Amino acid sequence: MRNPKVNYFAVGSFVLLMLVGLIFSMALLTGRTSDTTTYYAVYDNVADVKFGTQVLYEGYPIGQVEQVTPFSEGARVRFKTELSVLEDWHIPDDSSAQIVSSGLLAPVTINIQAGKSTEFYQSGGTLISRNATDMFAVMSSVASRVMDLSEEGIKPLLENMNNTVTGFSGLLEKDVSGLMKELTALVQGLNRDAPAITRNLDGFAENMNAGSQQLRQMIDAADPEQVRVTMNNIVATAENFASLSGDLKASREQLDLVLSNSNQLIDDNKSNVKGSLERLYHVLDSLASHIDSMNYNLDRTARNMKEFSARIRQNPSLLISADSPKDEASQ
């Protein structure tokens, strides 16, 4: 028959051995297998930073966060973070500690960016701190800036464009229309008086020819050579006047054709120009009426993405085994 004390001793030894192994495993997991040095960092926002958050040096794990202590600094609250780092790890005194996350679902860490100084932080020193760059906060800031831009820039611009389009439309309907009417009346008057002008020029040319003939008869007794030269000059002048009359008639016909084409072009495109201006006004008015909704949806999307990321970081298993939403109608 065995002695019960031997059994108790064996069981107690086994339990003690397992307890020592558990303590050693926990020490390995928490990085407490070697001596550490304490440093501090001060942040304005410590979202997801807590006890056990890893401390990295250029991506290499060298310690963890021990505790986060809030304190008042003037009218705002800041957070002093205690960092436990390997004792034999020297940190240059121009290094900075920043809260980072390597991915959307990755845990938050404090990464120390190495400086170039040959001097090192002393134990208990406060590191240069850099706040986290929050993608969702940036998106929210962008949405806010877009909203401010729409209120201060786009809407006044649309109003100015609307006023410009309205003024141009009024100019097209009133001033241009009146100008074209006056131009048409001028052309019609010229067209009406041109035949009389042409006849007068023809008559003047005929009179000049007749006068030249009479003049030739009157100076027959004069020097024949001088008279011949003079008469040739007069005849050339009369021929030039006749040619000028023909050119004026051709110019009048071309001017009539140009003005007729201009009237036809304006009449054909007046409705198109007016329709284009009306469609442009409709597009600008639609954009101005929906810009607030667009900014609101962008800001709401940024907030929802931020909440989704925070919940997944806290419990990544929700991506695989998320509970189905409760049916509120059945309750």
Side-chain angles (χ1 to χ4, degrees), residues 193-220:
D193 298 335
I197 296 174
T198 304
R199 288 193 299 270
N200 292 333
L201 288 174
D202 291 340
F204 177 75
E206 293 175 356
N207 292 332
M208 288 294 294
N209 289 330
S212 65
Q213 292 176 0
Q214 293 177 2
L215 181 62
R216 177 176 293 181
Q217 294 174 359
M218 291 173 62
I219 59 175
D220 282 340

Side-chain angles (χ1 to χ4, degrees), residues 1 6 8 34 65 67 75 83 98 120 123 125 151 186 191 206 246 257 282 290 311 317 327 331:
M1 183 175 179
V6 176
Y8 294 154
S34 60
V65 173
Q67 63 178 353
L83 311 179
Q98 183 177 16
F120 303 102
S123 178
E151 292 291 338
L186 177 62
N191 187 32
E206 293 175 356
L257 179 61
H282 176 72
H290 290 86
R311 295 190 63 184
S317 64
D327 187 1
Q331 294 181 354

Side-chain angles (χ1 to χ4, degrees), residues 145-156 291-292 295:
R145 289 179 179 272
V146 170
M147 183 175 295
D148 293 339
L149 176 63
S150 66
E151 292 291 338
E152 299 176 3
I154 295 179
K155 283 188 175 180
I291 191 67
D292 292 334
N295 290 332

Side-chain angles (χ1 to χ4, degrees), residues 98-165:
Q98 183 177 16
I99 301 175
V100 298
S101 176
S102 59
L104 182 63
L105 303 180
V108 171
T109 59
I110 296 180
N111 184 55
I112 299 176
Q113 298 177 351
K116 298 181 180 179
S117 175
T118 57
E119 302 293 331
F120 303 102
Y121 282 108
Q122 300 297 323
S123 178
T126 300
L127 279 66
I128 300 173
S129 306
R130 300 184 185 277
N131 292 312
T133 302
D134 191 345
M135 179 182 66
F136 302 105
V138 172
M139 291 179 63
S140 178
S141 176
V142 170
S144 177
R145 289 179 179 272
V146 170
M147 183 175 295
D148 293 339
L149 176 63
S150 66
E151 292 291 338
E152 299 176 3
I154 295 179
K155 283 188 175 180
L157 175 62
L158 293 177
E159 292 178 357
N160 292 335
M161 292 184 66
N162 184 24
N163 294 334
T164 302
V165 170

Side-chain angles (χ1 to χ4, degrees), residues 14-310:
F14 178 77
V15 173
L16 182 61
L17 182 62
M18 291 299 100
L19 184 60
V20 172
L22 178 61
I23 294 174
F24 183 73
S25 299
M26 292 179 63
L28 288 177
L29 292 175
T30 57
R32 294 303 186 85
T33 56
S34 60
D35 294 334
T36 59
T37 301
T38 300
Y39 297 97
Y40 296 94
V42 179
Y43 299 104
D44 295 330
N45 189 308
V46 288
D48 296 331
V49 176
K50 54 189 175 182
F51 171 77
T53 298
Q54 269 194 325
V55 177
L56 309 178
Y57 186 86
E58 295 291 351
Y60 181 80
I62 60 172
Q64 68 176 19
V65 173
E66 295 296 331
Q67 63 178 353
V68 178
T69 305
F71 68 95
S72 298
E73 186 178 87
R76 62 175 180 172
V77 176
R78 306 191 71 191
F79 303 91
K80 187 174 184 179
T81 306
E82 181 180 341
L83 311 179
S84 178
V85 178
L86 296 176
E87 184 178 24
D88 56 350
W89 198 276
H90 302 292
I91 303 175
D93 61 3
D94 59 346
S95 302
S96 61
Q98 183 177 16
I99 301 175
V100 298
S101 176
S102 59
L104 182 63
L105 303 180
V108 171
T109 59
I110 296 180
N111 184 55
I112 299 176
Q113 298 177 351
K116 298 181 180 179
S117 175
T118 57
E119 302 293 331
F120 303 102
Y121 282 108
Q122 300 297 323
S123 178
T126 300
L127 279 66
I128 300 173
S129 306
R130 300 184 185 277
N131 292 312
T133 302
D134 191 345
M135 179 182 66
F136 302 105
V138 172
M139 291 179 63
S140 178
S141 176
V142 170
S144 177
R145 289 179 179 272
V146 170
M147 183 175 295
D148 293 339
L149 176 63
S150 66
E151 292 291 338
E152 299 176 3
I154 295 179
K155 283 188 175 180
L157 175 62
L158 293 177
E159 292 178 357
N160 292 335
M161 292 184 66
N162 184 24
N163 294 334
T164 302
V165 170
T166 303
F168 183 75
S169 179
L171 176 65
L172 184 64
E173 292 179 356
K174 297 179 180 179
D175 297 342
V176 175
S177 178
L179 178 62
M180 290 308 303
K181 289 180 180 179
E182 293 178 0
L183 184 59
T184 302
L186 177 62
V187 172
Q188 291 175 351
L190 182 61
N191 187 32
R192 182 181 61 252
D193 298 335
I197 296 174
T198 304
R199 288 193 299 270
N200 292 333
L201 288 174
D202 291 340
F204 177 75
E206 293 175 356
N207 292 332
M208 288 294 294
N209 289 330
S212 65
Q213 292 176 0
Q214 293 177 2
L215 181 62
R216 177 176 293 181
Q217 294 174 359
M218 291 173 62
I219 59 175
D220 282 340
D223 186 3
E225 182 64 24
Q226 184 178 2
V227 171
R228 186 180 63 80
V229 173
T230 303
M231 293 305 297
N232 289 336
N233 292 334
I234 294 174
V235 171
T237 302
E239 291 176 352
N240 290 335
F241 271 103
S243 177
L244 176 61
S245 176
D247 293 338
L248 287 174
K249 185 176 181 180
S251 299
R252 179 184 61 81
E253 292 175 352
Q254 293 179 357
L255 182 59
D256 291 341
L257 179 61
V258 170
L259 292 175
S260 177
N261 293 334
S262 299
N263 291 335
Q264 184 66 28
L265 180 62
I266 292 175
D267 292 336
D268 292 342
N269 293 283
K270 182 176 181 181
S271 60
N272 294 333
V273 173
K274 187 174 181 180
S276 299
L277 293 175
E278 290 176 352
R279 287 192 291 271
L280 177 60
Y281 173 79
H282 176 72
V283 171
L284 296 177
D285 184 68
S286 178
L287 179 61
S289 62
H290 290 86
I291 191 67
D292 292 334
S293 177
M294 294 167 60
N295 290 332
Y296 172 77
N297 291 331
L298 181 60
D299 182 69
R300 186 175 181 182
T301 301
R303 295 177 182 274
N304 292 337
M305 286 294 296
K306 183 174 183 180
E307 181 180 359
F308 168 77
S309 176

